[in-house]
Amino acid sequence: AAELTLLMIEQPGCVYCARWDRDIAPILPRTDEGKAAPLRRIQLREPVPADITLDRPATFTPTFVMLNDGRETGRIEGYPGDEFFWPLLNELIDTATLAQPPQQENQP
């Protein structure tokens, strides 16, 4: 199965990043969403790591990118508040899961 990762692109002084850290970060690892797509963080002004392929650069923070084996399958730009974040995250997970190639069955 493909490995899903939620990439958070952030920068120091980002008020919305701080709100996300207050509202979501403490509980994310304990949720089904956090278990399905563990969080990874990078800084906006630093080079994107070689194991990550984005469709386009992030231009502001926070930007949340769903990665399927390191390749972008969708993103949330900005932090819309906890009541909107969870449904958007679930949509990203669903889209990334549907994008996975079908599993090959062992042929006799």
Side-chain angles (χ1 to χ4, degrees):
E3 181 179 328
L4 299 182
T5 304
L6 178 63
L7 178 67
M8 179 181 183
I9 302 170
E10 59 186 340
Q11 65 182 332
C14 170
V15 174
Y16 293 100
C17 298
R19 286 184 186 166
W20 187 89
D21 281 337
R22 180 195 67 214
D23 297 347
I24 305 295
I27 60 175
L28 182 65
R30 298 189 308 262
T31 65
D32 290 340
E33 295 87 351
K35 292 173 185 171
L39 181 66
R40 179 175 176 183
R41 295 172 182 248
I42 64 172
Q43 294 297 310
L44 178 68
R45 304 286 180 224
E46 293 179 4
V48 175
D51 63 332
I52 295 174
T53 303
L54 299 177
D55 290 346
R56 65 185 189 282
T59 55
F60 57 90
T61 56
T63 297
F64 300 92
V65 181
M66 184 59 61
L67 303 172
N68 186 332
D69 286 339
R71 299 189 65 83
E72 180 175 343
T73 60
R75 65 174 60 191
I76 302 168
E77 294 178 315
Y79 174 55
D82 63 340
E83 64 277 3
F84 294 105
F85 181 79
W86 292 109
L88 292 170
L89 178 57
N90 277 300
E91 186 176 314
L92 287 180
I93 291 170
D94 290 347
T95 300
T97 303
L98 292 173
Q100 292 182 15
Q103 296 296 314
Q104 297 287 333
E105 292 186 24
N106 292 335
Q107 300 294 325

